[in-house]
Amino acid sequence: MPLFPFALAALTPVILLGLGAVQGGIWIWLALGYISIMAFALDEIVHLLTPPSDPDGSAASANALSVALAVSHFGLLALGVMAVSGATGLSMAERIAAFLGFGLFFGQISIANAHELIHRTGRGLFSLGKWVFISMLYGHVTTSHRLLHHPHVATPKDPNFPPKGTSFYRYLPRSLWRNFTEGYRVEQVRAARSGRMNPYATYLGGAFAVLALGWLALGWAGVAALVGFGGYAQFQHAMVDYLQHYGLARRELPDGSYAPQQTHHSWNSPHWFSALMTVNVTRHSDHHAHPGRIYPALRLTPDMPMLPYSLPAMGVIALLPSLWFKMMDRRVDRVLAKAQGELE
């Protein structure tokens, strides 16, 4: 897939949010509208698959955009904290819009891009993604995503797996807690074997340093803004995991192990604009099949399980459990029954 559409979709809100943080007025409302209403409308009105992947595309160019987005994240985080805390002179309505607009960028674009970076083998790229997560007070997901979610996806051992019939409200606190605690236990074992420091020291120390900088610069208002942005981003990340894995469980085998993960163990979305804006995080089956594959090369095929609406729309529906279960439970049953039939 050509890189330019990703750059246009993901970098446009950087400009709008930067102007909005300083100028307020129309710019902050345009930024919020771009990430929310416009993204939703384009996804739902224009039913179009994004162009085919390009397996021979330049990894260097894709990585360059990821680096640009990550660097922009840190600049926007400083501007967002200043705007929300009142340091740039925005009105209260504009500060609320800034919190929502910046928060959506951090939770949908920055987190998706950081997720891409922690799958890169280069130490510099990996560290950049890790520090984006740390700035969102969420550094431990660098461990839990790679060492728990990917190897144990679609099983009870995965902190991010919601079994069928589990509401998002029941899933959220359990997922957040297990990601932190079980990731810590994994790293403790690894640290004991290698003799190296547990990376949780960096995750927690880095988060404390970010909050300390916020306090030194803007007092408790800066700390509150950072905590608010971090909590909002973590909520959105948990929601995406919920949407993309709901109910699609791997079969437990007689020996207690689980059947190998396959493409039918993740939900996907063919909606083009949110795919571009979130660097193809919506092509989730192929990502789990090939975690190291760069985002422009991720494939989407019609046989993969598809969500009925775009990720933003499904996120709203998931907040209404009765509607969510009515829409999704029968789809889960059909996907798993079809997969079982093909195996037999």
Side-chain angles (χ1 to χ4, degrees):
M1 185 185 300
L3 195 64
F4 177 74
F6 288 104
L8 183 63
L11 290 175
T12 295
V14 174
I15 299 170
L16 295 176
L17 287 167
L19 289 170
V22 177
Q23 299 293 329
I26 186 67
W27 297 108
I28 196 63
W29 297 106
L30 282 174
L32 177 58
Y34 178 93
I35 301 175
S36 57
I37 297 172
M38 177 180 166
F40 173 83
L42 287 176
D43 271 337
E44 297 304 325
I45 293 173
V46 185
H47 293 281
L48 178 71
L49 282 173
T50 42
S53 60
D54 178 10
D56 299 319
S58 171
S61 297
N63 287 336
L65 177 57
S66 285
V67 169
L69 286 170
V71 172
S72 297
H73 164 85
F74 294 110
L76 285 182
L77 182 58
L79 279 175
V81 170
M82 292 172 63
V84 171
S85 65
T88 60
L90 302 187
S91 69
M92 182 54 67
E94 290 170 338
R95 289 164 67 182
I96 293 171
F99 176 77
L100 294 174
F102 278 89
L104 287 170
F105 179 88
F106 298 145
Q108 294 184 17
I109 300 175
S110 287
I111 289 290
N113 184 58
H115 159 261
E116 177 72 19
L117 286 168
I118 63 170
H119 281 290
R120 302 278 69 81
T121 55
R123 186 173 181 178
L125 295 173
F126 173 85
S127 295
L128 191 56
K130 177 184 72 174
W131 278 98
V132 170
F133 278 121
I134 289 173
S135 73
M136 294 286 96
L137 316 180
Y138 203 34
H140 59 275
V141 81
T142 308
T143 288
S144 65
H145 180 81
R146 295 177 302 112
L147 304 183
L148 291 171
H149 177 56
H150 270 269
H152 301 303
V153 66
T155 75
K157 296 180 180 180
D158 175 14
N160 299 320
F161 175 60
K164 191 180 82 167
T166 303
S167 73
F168 178 70
Y169 301 104
R170 182 181 171 193
Y171 163 83
L172 178 63
R174 184 183 67 184
S175 174
L176 293 175
W177 177 251
R178 289 185 61 199
N179 268 288
F180 185 86
T181 58
E182 293 177 23
Y184 177 79
R185 283 195 287 269
V186 168
E187 291 292 11
Q188 276 289 83
V189 172
R190 284 160 57 92
R193 289 175 179 170
S194 66
R196 296 179 180 177
M197 181 180 68
N198 188 324
Y200 268 64
T202 303
Y203 303 154
L204 296 176
F208 177 80
V210 168
L211 294 175
L213 285 172
W215 183 78
L216 288 171
L218 297 164
W220 290 112
V223 173
L226 285 166
V227 170
F229 283 142
Y232 195 11
Q234 292 175 36
F235 173 89
Q236 292 176 82
H237 184 255
M239 174 63 82
V240 170
D241 278 330
Y242 179 84
L243 300 177
Q244 293 184 322
H245 293 287
Y246 176 78
L248 299 181
R250 287 154 64 183
R251 291 182 302 112
E252 185 172 2
L253 302 177
D255 64 357
S257 63
Y258 292 89
Q261 61 170 293
Q262 298 182 41
T263 55
H264 66 265
H265 292 123
S266 298
W267 292 102
N268 302 271
S269 171
H271 300 83
W272 67 284
F273 191 77
S274 54
L276 294 174
M277 198 165 62
T278 59
V279 291
N280 261 350
V281 75
T282 56
R283 297 185 172 193
H284 212 56
S285 290
D286 197 34
H287 169 67
H288 272 276
H290 307 94
R293 180 171 285 170
I294 59 172
Y295 59 91
L298 290 173
R299 296 171 172 84
L300 188 66
T301 58
D303 61 299
M304 294 176 178
M306 298 290 173
L307 292 169
Y309 300 103
S310 66
L311 280 182
M314 295 304 295
V316 174
I317 293 169
L319 297 176
L320 305 170
S322 59
L323 179 58
W324 172 263
F325 296 146
K326 183 177 180 180
M327 180 177 292
M328 291 302 298
D329 283 3
R330 285 179 293 181
R331 286 181 165 86
V332 169
D333 292 339
R334 286 198 296 268
V335 168
L336 296 181
K338 179 182 177 183
Q340 182 64 29
E342 290 175 352
L343 288 174
E344 294 174 351

